[in-house]
Each structure stands twice: as structure tokens, then as C-alpha cells.
Amino acid sequence: MSTWIDLGQKVIIVTGGASGIGASIATNLHNNNATVVVCDLRTNDDVAAYSDHFVQCDITSKASVEAMVAEVVEKFGRIDALINNAGVNRPRLLVDFYGEKPEFEATEADFDFITNVNQKGPFLCAQAVARQFIERQEGVIVNISSEAGVEGSAGQSIYSATKAALNGFTRSWAKELGQHNIRVVGIAPGINKRTNMNSDENYAALAYTRGLDPDHIDTDYASSIPLRRVGEHEEISDLVSYLVSSHSSYISGTTLNITGGKSR
Ligand SMILES: NC(=O)c1ccc[n+]([C@@H]2O[C@H](COP(=O)([O-])OP(=O)(O)OC[C@H]3O[C@@H](n4cnc5c(N)ncnc54)[C@H](O)[C@@H]3O)[C@@H](O)[C@H]2O)c1
């Protein structure tokens, strides 16, 4: 199949590609002829239909990440791009000032869990993959950030802080690695169609932190967006395919908002 964005022969790793936005990214890359490796804690029944290889990997473990990268290089001979997509969230208040649900006040365990996956994970993956990129003097890293990392987010301060850190990685790695012909780009999605991350459990927690009715949170969200609708996963994955392609060869060190007009 010939497409405008032809990623033929590019070997691309998508972390967290077994679900939600990551599955959409992997599918989009696959449809644009890339060789797609999904790396995730767990697989699913469909992953073989939209990828060329699955590696079980915990991105918070250096040993697991290094084994994953070695496996990909062994199987495909090289890596052309990394999509740092895997992420987690637990909506929590800094202090439970409502005094009704102490379980929705942030704990040290919440901090460690969210920070390990969202900040340490992309660091470990980028480091292991960048060693390969530097050898070949070529490569692209796309960090999936969030609007929350730019704007802050009530009830999601730890998540927001990890995404702000990811934006710092994007700017800094682009400065370090540009001389090796390596681009680093971020994408900051706003509110999207629901995924496991926006599970009923997480929405109930988020609604509590904001004093909202959980049954109305979807419609409240949509009305806060200038385009008056939440984003589609394909709108993010189309952007990822563009950013790993040669059409975006001069874009690096920046994080692009994809928020229906909501973010500054
Ligand atoms: N859903 C949204 O509205 C939204 C908005 C903005 C940004 N994002 C970002 O998009 C990315 C994908 O989110 P999603 O909504 O598709 O979530 P999701 O929960 O559907 O998918 C996340 C995937 O990451 C995997 N994962 C979690 N921890 C891992 C680990 N330690 N090692 C390897 N894999 C791990 C999970 O197994 C899962 O398959 C995240 O970085 C998230 O922060 C999502």
C-alpha cells in the first residue's frame, strides 16, 4: 500500500501499545508500512493484527528495557523510532480538604507509581534506544505528554508534574542529540475518547477531587473545549506517523498541543 507518509522499512517501538492511544498509534504506523514493535506489560488478542512483534516489558525496570531493546535489534537489525507512550494516572488531591474520601489524597506510593512509569520509564527507554540511534546517526523519539503537563490539572498534580518533566526531557534531549541527527518531539493531547486510563474508577476519583458529579464529567469536559468535542485517538496517531516521517525533518525540541483549541 502506498501512502503519503510511507514509513516502509522503519522499525518503530511503541511502549504501552497494547491498549488505548498506544494501540491506535501502533495501528496507524502499521498502516503506513512501518515495522511495529509493541512493548507493554501485557499483550492482547489483537496485537498481532496491528504489529510485527510484541515484547513484554516493564519500562520502569532498566534490565527489562535493555532486554527489550536488545531483542528488537537482534530481530530487526535496527531501530528507527521510539514512541514513549506508556503512562499511568491516579487522580488524587494533594490534601483531601473535602474530608470524605481519604483514599483520594495522594500518598507516597501514588507518587512513586506515577513517577516511575511516566518519567523514569521514558528516560530508560530513550537512553537504551539513543545508544542505537547514535551508532547509526539517525533516529526519532516521540514523547506522549499531556495537556496537563503544560496547563497543570486540579486533582492530577503528580500526573501533571510527570508530563511537565517529560516536556523538559523533550527540550533537553533534542539539544543533546540533535548533533547526531536525532529528533525528539512531544505531543500533548487534551481530553480524548475514553481509554483504560480514564476508567470509571479514575473518573470517579477525578470527579471527587473536583467536586463534580461523575455522571456528568464527560459532557462537562466536552463543553470546555473550543471544538466542543473530545479528541479521537486517530487524531493523535496521525500526528505520530507524521512526526516519525521525513516530512517533519526539521521539527525537534518542541511539544505540540492536540487539544481542540483548549491549550495555550
Ligand atoms: N487518555 C487520555 O485522555 C490521555 C490524554 C492525554 C495524554 N494521554 C497519554 O497517552 C498515553 C496513553 O494513555 P492511554 O489513555 O492510552 O492509557 P491506557 O491505560 O489505555 O494504556 C496505557 C498502556 O501502558 C501500559 N503500561 C503501563 N505501565 C507500563 C509499564 N510499566 N511498562 C510497560 N507498559 C506499561 C499499559 O499496560 C497500557 O497498555 C499516556 O502516556 C497518557 O498519559 C492520555
mmCIF file of all heavy atoms in Angstrom, residues 140-190:
data_model
loop_
_atom_site.group_PDB
_atom_site.id
_atom_site.type_symbol
_atom_site.label_atom_id
_atom_site.label_comp_id
_atom_site.label_asym_id
_atom_site.label_seq_id
_atom_site.Cartn_x
_atom_site.Cartn_y
_atom_site.Cartn_z
ATOM 1 N N VAL A 140 14.366 9.020 15.796
ATOM 2 C CA VAL A 140 13.317 9.937 16.269
ATOM 3 C C VAL A 140 12.734 9.386 17.569
ATOM 4 O O VAL A 140 12.448 8.186 17.661
ATOM 5 C CB VAL A 140 12.166 10.084 15.237
ATOM 6 C CG1 VAL A 140 11.132 11.098 15.730
ATOM 7 C CG2 VAL A 140 12.681 10.468 13.863
ATOM 8 N N ILE A 141 12.579 10.256 18.546
ATOM 9 C CA ILE A 141 11.872 9.905 19.783
ATOM 10 C C ILE A 141 10.643 10.791 19.867
ATOM 11 O O ILE A 141 10.745 12.019 19.734
ATOM 12 C CB ILE A 141 12.757 10.130 21.031
ATOM 13 C CG1 ILE A 141 13.997 9.242 20.983
ATOM 14 C CG2 ILE A 141 11.949 9.878 22.317
ATOM 15 C CD1 ILE A 141 15.037 9.544 22.072
ATOM 16 N N VAL A 142 9.467 10.167 20.072
ATOM 17 C CA VAL A 142 8.239 10.937 20.282
ATOM 18 C C VAL A 142 7.749 10.646 21.700
ATOM 19 O O VAL A 142 7.492 9.484 22.046
ATOM 20 C CB VAL A 142 7.141 10.566 19.255
ATOM 21 C CG1 VAL A 142 5.856 11.345 19.551
ATOM 22 C CG2 VAL A 142 7.613 10.843 17.824
ATOM 23 N N ASN A 143 7.648 11.672 22.511
ATOM 24 C CA ASN A 143 7.172 11.535 23.885
ATOM 25 C C ASN A 143 5.689 11.914 23.954
ATOM 26 O O ASN A 143 5.324 13.037 23.597
ATOM 27 C CB ASN A 143 7.963 12.465 24.810
ATOM 28 C CG ASN A 143 9.399 12.011 24.986
ATOM 29 O OD1 ASN A 143 9.670 10.807 25.039
ATOM 30 N ND2 ASN A 143 10.321 12.955 25.076
ATOM 31 N N ILE A 144 4.857 10.979 24.416
ATOM 32 C CA ILE A 144 3.432 11.292 24.551
ATOM 33 C C ILE A 144 3.220 11.928 25.924
ATOM 34 O O ILE A 144 3.251 11.263 26.959
ATOM 35 C CB ILE A 144 2.538 10.045 24.372
ATOM 36 C CG1 ILE A 144 2.830 9.362 23.027
ATOM 37 C CG2 ILE A 144 1.069 10.453 24.475
ATOM 38 C CD1 ILE A 144 2.598 10.203 21.782
ATOM 39 N N SER A 145 3.039 13.217 25.896
ATOM 40 C CA SER A 145 2.876 14.001 27.109
ATOM 41 C C SER A 145 1.380 14.210 27.359
ATOM 42 O O SER A 145 0.563 13.335 27.071
ATOM 43 C CB SER A 145 3.626 15.329 26.917
ATOM 44 O OG SER A 145 3.558 16.104 28.063
ATOM 45 N N SER A 146 1.011 15.372 27.857
ATOM 46 C CA SER A 146 -0.397 15.666 28.105
ATOM 47 C C SER A 146 -0.571 17.170 28.259
ATOM 48 O O SER A 146 0.348 17.878 28.713
ATOM 49 C CB SER A 146 -0.862 14.989 29.396
ATOM 50 O OG SER A 146 -2.109 15.496 29.808
ATOM 51 N N GLU A 147 -1.760 17.617 27.920
ATOM 52 C CA GLU A 147 -2.144 18.996 28.189
ATOM 53 C C GLU A 147 -1.885 19.351 29.659
ATOM 54 O O GLU A 147 -1.487 20.469 29.980
ATOM 55 C CB GLU A 147 -3.649 19.114 27.879
ATOM 56 C CG GLU A 147 -4.285 20.402 28.222
ATOM 57 C CD GLU A 147 -5.795 20.330 27.999
ATOM 58 O OE1 GLU A 147 -6.386 19.249 28.175
ATOM 59 O OE2 GLU A 147 -6.367 21.357 27.661
ATOM 60 N N ALA A 148 -2.076 18.348 30.537
ATOM 61 C CA ALA A 148 -1.893 18.582 31.977
ATOM 62 C C ALA A 148 -0.460 19.003 32.302
ATOM 63 O O ALA A 148 -0.218 19.705 33.287
ATOM 64 C CB ALA A 148 -2.250 17.323 32.770
ATOM 65 N N GLY A 149 0.495 18.577 31.471
ATOM 66 C CA GLY A 149 1.893 18.924 31.712
ATOM 67 C C GLY A 149 2.199 20.374 31.391
ATOM 68 O O GLY A 149 3.202 20.923 31.848
ATOM 69 N N VAL A 150 1.352 20.972 30.590
ATOM 70 C CA VAL A 150 1.542 22.376 30.205
ATOM 71 C C VAL A 150 0.683 23.280 31.085
ATOM 72 O O VAL A 150 1.122 24.335 31.544
ATOM 73 C CB VAL A 150 1.130 22.583 28.718
ATOM 74 C CG1 VAL A 150 1.442 24.000 28.264
ATOM 75 C CG2 VAL A 150 1.804 21.568 27.824
ATOM 76 N N GLU A 151 -0.549 22.850 31.324
ATOM 77 C CA GLU A 151 -1.544 23.718 31.972
ATOM 78 C C GLU A 151 -1.672 23.477 33.480
ATOM 79 O O GLU A 151 -2.311 24.273 34.165
ATOM 80 C CB GLU A 151 -2.921 23.474 31.339
ATOM 81 C CG GLU A 151 -2.976 23.754 29.847
ATOM 82 C CD GLU A 151 -3.014 25.254 29.552
ATOM 83 O OE1 GLU A 151 -3.517 25.999 30.397
ATOM 84 O OE2 GLU A 151 -2.505 25.644 28.491
ATOM 85 N N GLY A 152 -1.130 22.322 33.977
ATOM 86 C CA GLY A 152 -1.487 21.915 35.336
ATOM 87 C C GLY A 152 -2.872 21.298 35.310
ATOM 88 O O GLY A 152 -3.610 21.453 34.325
ATOM 89 N N SER A 153 -3.236 20.586 36.371
ATOM 90 C CA SER A 153 -4.535 19.923 36.364
ATOM 91 C C SER A 153 -4.990 19.640 37.790
ATOM 92 O O SER A 153 -4.333 18.886 38.515
ATOM 93 C CB SER A 153 -4.440 18.611 35.575
ATOM 94 O OG SER A 153 -5.686 17.973 35.531
ATOM 95 N N ALA A 154 -6.113 20.250 38.191
ATOM 96 C CA ALA A 154 -6.646 20.005 39.534
ATOM 97 C C ALA A 154 -6.975 18.531 39.687
ATOM 98 O O ALA A 154 -7.631 17.940 38.823
ATOM 99 C CB ALA A 154 -7.901 20.847 39.755
ATOM 100 N N GLY A 155 -6.511 17.931 40.759
ATOM 101 C CA GLY A 155 -6.768 16.513 41.010
ATOM 102 C C GLY A 155 -5.775 15.591 40.315
ATOM 103 O O GLY A 155 -5.872 14.372 40.451
ATOM 104 N N GLN A 156 -4.852 16.158 39.554
ATOM 105 C CA GLN A 156 -3.887 15.308 38.829
ATOM 106 C C GLN A 156 -2.486 15.918 38.902
ATOM 107 O O GLN A 156 -1.770 15.952 37.910
ATOM 108 C CB GLN A 156 -4.305 15.165 37.364
ATOM 109 C CG GLN A 156 -5.739 14.675 37.172
ATOM 110 C CD GLN A 156 -6.061 14.357 35.711
ATOM 111 O OE1 GLN A 156 -6.109 13.199 35.334
ATOM 112 N NE2 GLN A 156 -6.270 15.369 34.906
ATOM 113 N N SER A 157 -2.134 16.428 40.085
ATOM 114 C CA SER A 157 -0.886 17.199 40.138
ATOM 115 C C SER A 157 0.348 16.336 39.925
ATOM 116 O O SER A 157 1.321 16.785 39.311
ATOM 117 C CB SER A 157 -0.795 17.962 41.461
ATOM 118 O OG SER A 157 -0.801 17.078 42.557
ATOM 119 N N ILE A 158 0.334 15.083 40.404
ATOM 120 C CA ILE A 158 1.521 14.239 40.209
ATOM 121 C C ILE A 158 1.643 13.884 38.727
ATOM 122 O O ILE A 158 2.717 13.995 38.127
ATOM 123 C CB ILE A 158 1.440 12.958 41.076
ATOM 124 C CG1 ILE A 158 1.318 13.323 42.558
ATOM 125 C CG2 ILE A 158 2.674 12.080 40.833
ATOM 126 C CD1 ILE A 158 1.006 12.137 43.464
ATOM 127 N N TYR A 159 0.512 13.498 38.150
ATOM 128 C CA TYR A 159 0.493 13.185 36.709
ATOM 129 C C TYR A 159 0.980 14.390 35.909
ATOM 130 O O TYR A 159 1.844 14.272 35.029
ATOM 131 C CB TYR A 159 -0.944 12.817 36.323
ATOM 132 C CG TYR A 159 -1.176 12.556 34.849
ATOM 133 C CD1 TYR A 159 -0.830 11.336 34.271
ATOM 134 C CD2 TYR A 159 -1.767 13.523 34.039
ATOM 135 C CE1 TYR A 159 -1.048 11.098 32.920
ATOM 136 C CE2 TYR A 159 -1.995 13.293 32.693
ATOM 137 C CZ TYR A 159 -1.641 12.070 32.142
ATOM 138 O OH TYR A 159 -1.864 11.843 30.803
ATOM 139 N N SER A 160 0.435 15.551 36.232
ATOM 140 C CA SER A 160 0.812 16.786 35.532
ATOM 141 C C SER A 160 2.310 17.045 35.655
ATOM 142 O O SER A 160 2.978 17.400 34.666
ATOM 143 C CB SER A 160 0.006 17.941 36.138
ATOM 144 O OG SER A 160 0.570 19.167 35.799
ATOM 145 N N ALA A 161 2.850 16.838 36.854
ATOM 146 C CA ALA A 161 4.279 17.095 37.071
ATOM 147 C C ALA A 161 5.141 16.134 36.252
ATOM 148 O O ALA A 161 6.184 16.515 35.717
ATOM 149 C CB ALA A 161 4.610 16.972 38.557
ATOM 150 N N THR A 162 4.687 14.870 36.139
ATOM 151 C CA THR A 162 5.487 13.922 35.342
ATOM 152 C C THR A 162 5.469 14.311 33.866
ATOM 153 O O THR A 162 6.457 14.126 33.155
ATOM 154 C CB THR A 162 4.978 12.465 35.469
ATOM 155 O OG1 THR A 162 3.640 12.365 34.967
ATOM 156 C CG2 THR A 162 5.047 11.967 36.886
ATOM 157 N N LYS A 163 4.341 14.852 33.413
ATOM 158 C CA LYS A 163 4.255 15.229 31.995
ATOM 159 C C LYS A 163 5.049 16.522 31.743
ATOM 160 O O LYS A 163 5.631 16.694 30.670
ATOM 161 C CB LYS A 163 2.792 15.370 31.568
ATOM 162 C CG LYS A 163 2.019 14.054 31.607
ATOM 163 C CD LYS A 163 2.633 13.000 30.701
ATOM 164 C CE LYS A 163 1.770 11.738 30.602
ATOM 165 N NZ LYS A 163 2.327 10.739 29.685
ATOM 166 N N ALA A 164 5.092 17.411 32.720
ATOM 167 C CA ALA A 164 5.944 18.600 32.589
ATOM 168 C C ALA A 164 7.414 18.166 32.526
ATOM 169 O O ALA A 164 8.215 18.727 31.771
ATOM 170 C CB ALA A 164 5.716 19.545 33.766
ATOM 171 N N ALA A 165 7.760 17.147 33.326
ATOM 172 C CA ALA A 165 9.129 16.618 33.290
ATOM 173 C C ALA A 165 9.428 16.033 31.910
ATOM 174 O O ALA A 165 10.523 16.221 31.368
ATOM 175 C CB ALA A 165 9.299 15.542 34.367
ATOM 176 N N LEU A 166 8.451 15.345 31.355
ATOM 177 C CA LEU A 166 8.635 14.760 30.020
ATOM 178 C C LEU A 166 8.877 15.870 28.986
ATOM 179 O O LEU A 166 9.716 15.717 28.089
ATOM 180 C CB LEU A 166 7.387 13.938 29.664
ATOM 181 C CG LEU A 166 7.472 12.917 28.544
ATOM 182 C CD1 LEU A 166 8.633 11.949 28.718
ATOM 183 C CD2 LEU A 166 6.153 12.147 28.428
ATOM 184 N N ASN A 167 8.164 16.977 29.130
ATOM 185 C CA ASN A 167 8.394 18.104 28.211
ATOM 186 C C ASN A 167 9.817 18.640 28.364
ATOM 187 O O ASN A 167 10.451 19.044 27.382
ATOM 188 C CB ASN A 167 7.381 19.220 28.460
ATOM 189 C CG ASN A 167 5.950 18.772 28.221
ATOM 190 O OD1 ASN A 167 5.720 17.713 27.634
ATOM 191 N ND2 ASN A 167 4.987 19.555 28.664
ATOM 192 N N GLY A 168 10.328 18.625 29.596
ATOM 193 C CA GLY A 168 11.722 19.033 29.829
ATOM 194 C C GLY A 168 12.691 18.062 29.171
ATOM 195 O O GLY A 168 13.700 18.475 28.590
ATOM 196 N N PHE A 169 12.388 16.762 29.252
ATOM 197 C CA PHE A 169 13.221 15.770 28.555
ATOM 198 C C PHE A 169 13.220 16.057 27.051
ATOM 199 O O PHE A 169 14.254 15.990 26.404
ATOM 200 C CB PHE A 169 12.672 14.354 28.787
ATOM 201 C CG PHE A 169 13.071 13.700 30.093
ATOM 202 C CD1 PHE A 169 12.242 12.748 30.672
ATOM 203 C CD2 PHE A 169 14.280 13.995 30.716
ATOM 204 C CE1 PHE A 169 12.599 12.112 31.862
ATOM 205 C CE2 PHE A 169 14.643 13.360 31.904
ATOM 206 C CZ PHE A 169 13.789 12.413 32.472
ATOM 207 N N THR A 170 12.058 16.340 26.508
ATOM 208 C CA THR A 170 11.957 16.581 25.056
ATOM 209 C C THR A 170 12.871 17.728 24.650
ATOM 210 O O THR A 170 13.664 17.612 23.704
ATOM 211 C CB THR A 170 10.494 16.890 24.668
ATOM 212 O OG1 THR A 170 9.685 15.747 24.971
ATOM 213 C CG2 THR A 170 10.370 17.220 23.185
ATOM 214 N N ARG A 171 12.781 18.837 25.376
ATOM 215 C CA ARG A 171 13.609 20.002 25.018
ATOM 216 C C ARG A 171 15.098 19.689 25.198
ATOM 217 O O ARG A 171 15.926 20.039 24.367
ATOM 218 C CB ARG A 171 13.222 21.213 25.886
ATOM 219 C CG ARG A 171 11.875 21.821 25.514
ATOM 220 C CD ARG A 171 11.646 23.136 26.251
ATOM 221 N NE ARG A 171 11.429 22.941 27.681
ATOM 222 C CZ ARG A 171 10.246 22.751 28.263
ATOM 223 N NH1 ARG A 171 9.148 22.754 27.528
ATOM 224 N NH2 ARG A 171 10.139 22.598 29.562
ATOM 225 N N SER A 172 15.433 19.013 26.307
ATOM 226 C CA SER A 172 16.846 18.775 26.634
ATOM 227 C C SER A 172 17.471 17.716 25.726
ATOM 228 O O SER A 172 18.587 17.889 25.237
ATOM 229 C CB SER A 172 16.980 18.337 28.093
ATOM 230 O OG SER A 172 16.358 19.277 28.939
ATOM 231 N N TRP A 173 16.753 16.599 25.523
ATOM 232 C CA TRP A 173 17.300 15.547 24.662
ATOM 233 C C TRP A 173 17.474 16.073 23.229
ATOM 234 O O TRP A 173 18.437 15.700 22.552
ATOM 235 C CB TRP A 173 16.387 14.320 24.653
ATOM 236 C CG TRP A 173 16.306 13.588 25.965
ATOM 237 C CD1 TRP A 173 17.201 13.645 26.999
ATOM 238 C CD2 TRP A 173 15.267 12.692 26.383
ATOM 239 N NE1 TRP A 173 16.768 12.836 28.035
ATOM 240 C CE2 TRP A 173 15.596 12.241 27.694
ATOM 241 C CE3 TRP A 173 14.083 12.224 25.807
ATOM 242 C CZ2 TRP A 173 14.790 11.341 28.393
ATOM 243 C CZ3 TRP A 173 13.284 11.324 26.504
ATOM 244 C CH2 TRP A 173 13.635 10.897 27.788
ATOM 245 N N ALA A 174 16.551 16.924 22.786
ATOM 246 C CA ALA A 174 16.696 17.481 21.428
ATOM 247 C C ALA A 174 17.996 18.277 21.333
ATOM 248 O O ALA A 174 18.709 18.214 20.321
ATOM 249 C CB ALA A 174 15.494 18.366 21.093
ATOM 250 N N LYS A 175 18.320 19.018 22.413
ATOM 251 C CA LYS A 175 19.559 19.803 22.401
ATOM 252 C C LYS A 175 20.793 18.905 22.433
ATOM 253 O O LYS A 175 21.791 19.174 21.778
ATOM 254 C CB LYS A 175 19.578 20.771 23.591
ATOM 255 C CG LYS A 175 18.576 21.903 23.382
ATOM 256 C CD LYS A 175 18.603 22.924 24.498
ATOM 257 C CE LYS A 175 17.665 24.071 24.110
ATOM 258 N NZ LYS A 175 17.516 25.065 25.151
ATOM 259 N N GLU A 176 20.735 17.830 23.232
ATOM 260 C CA GLU A 176 21.885 16.921 23.310
ATOM 261 C C GLU A 176 22.075 16.105 22.041
ATOM 262 O O GLU A 176 23.191 15.879 21.593
ATOM 263 C CB GLU A 176 21.677 15.911 24.461
ATOM 264 C CG GLU A 176 21.981 16.452 25.838
ATOM 265 C CD GLU A 176 21.812 15.374 26.920
ATOM 266 O OE1 GLU A 176 21.922 14.171 26.621
ATOM 267 O OE2 GLU A 176 21.544 15.761 28.053
ATOM 268 N N LEU A 177 20.980 15.631 21.484
ATOM 269 C CA LEU A 177 21.066 14.595 20.445
ATOM 270 C C LEU A 177 20.956 15.129 19.021
ATOM 271 O O LEU A 177 21.201 14.394 18.062
ATOM 272 C CB LEU A 177 19.953 13.548 20.678
ATOM 273 C CG LEU A 177 20.033 12.800 22.010
ATOM 274 C CD1 LEU A 177 18.796 11.919 22.212
ATOM 275 C CD2 LEU A 177 21.298 11.936 22.072
ATOM 276 N N GLY A 178 20.611 16.412 18.885
ATOM 277 C CA GLY A 178 20.452 16.982 17.539
ATOM 278 C C GLY A 178 21.702 16.835 16.689
ATOM 279 O O GLY A 178 21.633 16.548 15.488
ATOM 280 N N GLN A 179 22.863 16.975 17.336
ATOM 281 C CA GLN A 179 24.140 16.872 16.597
ATOM 282 C C GLN A 179 24.361 15.468 16.046
ATOM 283 O O GLN A 179 25.241 15.259 15.217
ATOM 284 C CB GLN A 179 25.288 17.259 17.523
ATOM 285 C CG GLN A 179 25.436 16.336 18.712
ATOM 286 C CD GLN A 179 26.338 16.891 19.790
ATOM 287 O OE1 GLN A 179 27.468 17.232 19.536
ATOM 288 N NE2 GLN A 179 25.809 17.011 21.011
ATOM 289 N N HIS A 180 23.580 14.497 16.518
ATOM 290 C CA HIS A 180 23.659 13.124 15.998
ATOM 291 C C HIS A 180 22.493 12.820 15.050
ATOM 292 O O HIS A 180 22.163 11.654 14.822
ATOM 293 C CB HIS A 180 23.672 12.121 17.163
ATOM 294 C CG HIS A 180 24.872 12.274 18.048
ATOM 295 N ND1 HIS A 180 26.141 11.894 17.658
ATOM 296 C CD2 HIS A 180 25.001 12.828 19.287
ATOM 297 C CE1 HIS A 180 26.994 12.164 18.633
ATOM 298 N NE2 HIS A 180 26.339 12.737 19.632
ATOM 299 N N ASN A 181 21.872 13.872 14.552
ATOM 300 C CA ASN A 181 20.772 13.707 13.590
ATOM 301 C C ASN A 181 19.590 12.952 14.212
ATOM 302 O O ASN A 181 18.928 12.146 13.560
ATOM 303 C CB ASN A 181 21.277 12.992 12.327
ATOM 304 C CG ASN A 181 20.257 13.026 11.209
ATOM 305 O OD1 ASN A 181 19.477 13.970 11.092
ATOM 306 N ND2 ASN A 181 20.248 11.982 10.387
ATOM 307 N N ILE A 182 19.361 13.202 15.503
ATOM 308 C CA ILE A 182 18.251 12.567 16.225
ATOM 309 C C ILE A 182 17.259 13.657 16.601
ATOM 310 O O ILE A 182 17.641 14.662 17.216
ATOM 311 C CB ILE A 182 18.767 11.844 17.493
ATOM 312 C CG1 ILE A 182 19.720 10.721 17.097
ATOM 313 C CG2 ILE A 182 17.586 11.308 18.323
ATOM 314 C CD1 ILE A 182 20.552 10.185 18.256
ATOM 315 N N ARG A 183 16.004 13.464 16.216
ATOM 316 C CA ARG A 183 14.949 14.427 16.584
ATOM 317 C C ARG A 183 14.183 13.902 17.799
ATOM 318 O O ARG A 183 13.990 12.688 17.953
ATOM 319 C CB ARG A 183 13.974 14.630 15.423
ATOM 320 C CG ARG A 183 14.600 15.280 14.211
ATOM 321 C CD ARG A 183 13.571 15.666 13.156
ATOM 322 N NE ARG A 183 12.891 14.543 12.577
ATOM 323 C CZ ARG A 183 11.605 14.248 12.727
ATOM 324 N NH1 ARG A 183 10.829 15.005 13.486
ATOM 325 N NH2 ARG A 183 11.064 13.202 12.140
ATOM 326 N N VAL A 184 13.756 14.839 18.639
ATOM 327 C CA VAL A 184 12.944 14.489 19.810
ATOM 328 C C VAL A 184 11.757 15.448 19.834
ATOM 329 O O VAL A 184 11.931 16.677 19.836
ATOM 330 C CB VAL A 184 13.746 14.616 21.124
ATOM 331 C CG1 VAL A 184 12.926 14.084 22.294
ATOM 332 C CG2 VAL A 184 15.081 13.886 21.029
ATOM 333 N N VAL A 185 10.559 14.882 19.824
ATOM 334 C CA VAL A 185 9.348 15.697 19.732
ATOM 335 C C VAL A 185 8.333 15.209 20.760
ATOM 336 O O VAL A 185 8.260 14.004 21.053
ATOM 337 C CB VAL A 185 8.707 15.592 18.324
ATOM 338 C CG1 VAL A 185 7.646 16.660 18.140
ATOM 339 C CG2 VAL A 185 9.742 15.689 17.229
ATOM 340 N N GLY A 186 7.557 16.113 21.317
ATOM 341 C CA GLY A 186 6.491 15.733 22.239
ATOM 342 C C GLY A 186 5.125 16.014 21.641
ATOM 343 O O GLY A 186 4.978 16.873 20.767
ATOM 344 N N ILE A 187 4.141 15.266 22.126
ATOM 345 C CA ILE A 187 2.741 15.534 21.756
ATOM 346 C C ILE A 187 1.963 15.645 23.061
ATOM 347 O O ILE A 187 2.080 14.778 23.934
ATOM 348 C CB ILE A 187 2.150 14.370 20.920
ATOM 349 C CG1 ILE A 187 2.895 14.230 19.596
ATOM 350 C CG2 ILE A 187 0.661 14.592 20.677
ATOM 351 C CD1 ILE A 187 2.377 13.103 18.723
ATOM 352 N N ALA A 188 1.183 16.714 23.190
ATOM 353 C CA ALA A 188 0.401 16.916 24.416
ATOM 354 C C ALA A 188 -1.087 16.849 24.084
ATOM 355 O O ALA A 188 -1.697 17.858 23.740
ATOM 356 C CB ALA A 188 0.755 18.255 25.046
ATOM 357 N N PRO A 189 -1.677 15.640 24.175
ATOM 358 C CA PRO A 189 -3.120 15.535 23.907
ATOM 359 C C PRO A 189 -3.921 16.137 25.053
ATOM 360 O O PRO A 189 -3.478 16.163 26.204
ATOM 361 C CB PRO A 189 -3.383 14.031 23.832
ATOM 362 C CG PRO A 189 -2.040 13.370 23.776
ATOM 363 C CD PRO A 189 -1.098 14.318 24.449
ATOM 364 N N GLY A 190 -5.115 16.604 24.702
ATOM 365 C CA GLY A 190 -6.058 17.056 25.721
ATOM 366 C C GLY A 190 -6.965 15.894 26.102
ATOM 367 O O GLY A 190 -6.508 14.767 26.276
#
